[in-house]
């Protein structure tokens, strides 16, 4: 495989899509093929799973939730991500398996190693070349979400302690794999964050 796989992670409302769009623009200007995608979703099957995990009214068992995200991921990687990497494209993806470890592991309190292994099985071991973690304290993240006039989905509607656990889990994941992760303070100006991301991507493109 010759392309580059870049994922954006972080809590809800930290600016992942803004940064993904900025990176896509920069790479396209440099003549690279870019596939910008997201999980959950990114395929027709994935969009249906997304609808269940984000909008189902009522309880979903945590293990069932973890399996739904993993099923979405398996199909997405097999049909979109790997084919794109095989033809030398840069894949820019909003959320990947670190989200499962943080949300289903630390958030729903499932065993983090098992959740990670489940996802790794689903994707046949594919890890990103670079994972950008946009880190923001919970209160600021909530303020950003509240500023958007859109109803909360199932995970956004969770309590503050849930989101605090998710944030800590992301930071622990980054500390465990410093070579893969770039941690950026999401409170920095958008352009400053974009510049740091570009620097890391450029270093991996050579
Ligand atoms: P996202 O698309 O980032 O939400 P939004 O469009 O509202 O920014 O992600 C949807 C939600 O799914 C988000 O709250 C995090 C959650 N999620 C998990 O719990 N596990 C996962 O594996 C993934 C990919 C997302």
């Amino acid at each position: 495989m010759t392309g580059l796989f870049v994922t954006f992670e972080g809590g809800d409302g930290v600016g992942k899509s803004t940064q993904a769009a900025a990176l896509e623009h920069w790479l396209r200007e440099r003549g690279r093929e870019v596939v910008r995608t997201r999980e959950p979703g990114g395929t027709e099957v994935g969009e249906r799973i997304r609808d269940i995990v984000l909008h189902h009214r009522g309880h979903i068992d945590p293990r069932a939730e973890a399996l739904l995200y993993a099923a979405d991921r398996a199909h997405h990687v097999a049909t979109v991500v790997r084919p794109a990497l095989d033809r030398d494209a840069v894949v820019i993806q909003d959320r990947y398996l670190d989200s499962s470890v943080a949300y289903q592991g630390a958030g729903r309190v499932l065993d983090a190693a098992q959740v990670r292994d489940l996802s790794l099985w689903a994707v046949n071991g594919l890890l990103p070349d670079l994972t950008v973690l946009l880190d923001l304290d919970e209160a600021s993240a909530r303020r950003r979400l509240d500023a958007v006039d859109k109803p909360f989905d199932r995970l956004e509607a969770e309590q503050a302690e849930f989101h605090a656990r998710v944030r800590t889990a992301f930071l622990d994941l980054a500390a465990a794999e410093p070579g893969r992760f770039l941690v950026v303070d999401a409170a920095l100006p958008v352009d400053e964050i974009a510049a740091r991301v570009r620097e890391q991507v450029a270093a991996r493109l050579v």
Side-chain angles (χ1 to χ4, degrees):
M1 226 152 32
T2 45
L4 194 77
F5 186 22
V6 181
T7 58
F8 284 86
E9 298 281 5
D12 301 277
V14 294
K16 292 184 297 299
S17 353
T18 306
Q19 288 303 326
L23 180 62
E24 176 182 15
H25 180 73
W26 182 76
L27 285 163
R28 281 193 196 284
E29 279 193 328
R30 267 141 204 85
R32 292 294 302 226
E33 183 196 347
V34 176
V35 173
R36 199 168 134 216
T37 184
R38 67 170 181 180
E39 288 182 8
T43 63
E44 206 182 315
V45 169
E47 289 301 329
R48 293 170 77 171
I49 296 177
R50 182 180 174 91
D51 193 44
I52 301 173
V53 285
L54 298 189
H55 305 301
H56 173 74
R57 288 171 191 274
H59 179 69
I60 298 180
D61 177 77
R63 283 172 191 260
E65 184 180 271
L67 286 162
L68 284 165
Y69 280 110
D72 163 62
R73 184 159 300 133
H75 186 68
H76 184 232
V77 165
T79 62
V80 176
V81 179
R82 274 194 199 270
L85 294 174
D86 282 341
R87 56 173 198 268
D88 205 19
V90 180
V91 176
I92 303 178
Q93 186 166 315
D94 213 322
R95 297 193 183 282
Y96 190 50
L97 86 187
D98 301 299
S99 274
S100 281
V101 179
Y103 283 82
Q104 280 64 57
R108 299 290 187 218
V109 204
L110 295 173
D111 182 282
Q114 288 182 353
V115 172
R116 183 182 158 92
D117 286 348
L118 175 70
S119 265
L120 281 173
W121 178 81
V123 300
N124 213 350
L126 180 70
L127 281 172
D129 298 295
L130 172 67
T131 297
V132 180
L133 173 59
L134 296 173
D135 179 53
L136 191 62
D137 69 89
E138 212 274 324
S140 312
R142 181 74 21 180
R143 272 200 300 280
R144 285 195 192 186
L145 271 184
D146 287 342
V148 181
D149 187 22
K150 202 177 89 183
F152 284 167
D153 66 41
R154 281 181 59 250
L155 286 103
E156 287 166 349
E158 283 293 340
Q159 299 305 308
E161 315 89 77
F162 176 96
H163 291 285
R165 286 200 303 277
V166 167
R167 180 185 181 213
T168 305
F170 273 129
L171 289 170
D172 289 348
L173 284 166
E177 280 181 81
R180 171 161 71 94
F181 275 88
L182 166 70
V183 183
V184 190
D185 179 357
L188 287 169
V190 170
D191 292 348
E192 168 73 33
I193 298 173
R196 291 192 192 185
V197 172
R198 282 199 300 270
E199 191 186 324
Q200 291 293 320
V201 170
R204 284 166 174 79
L205 278 176
V206 288

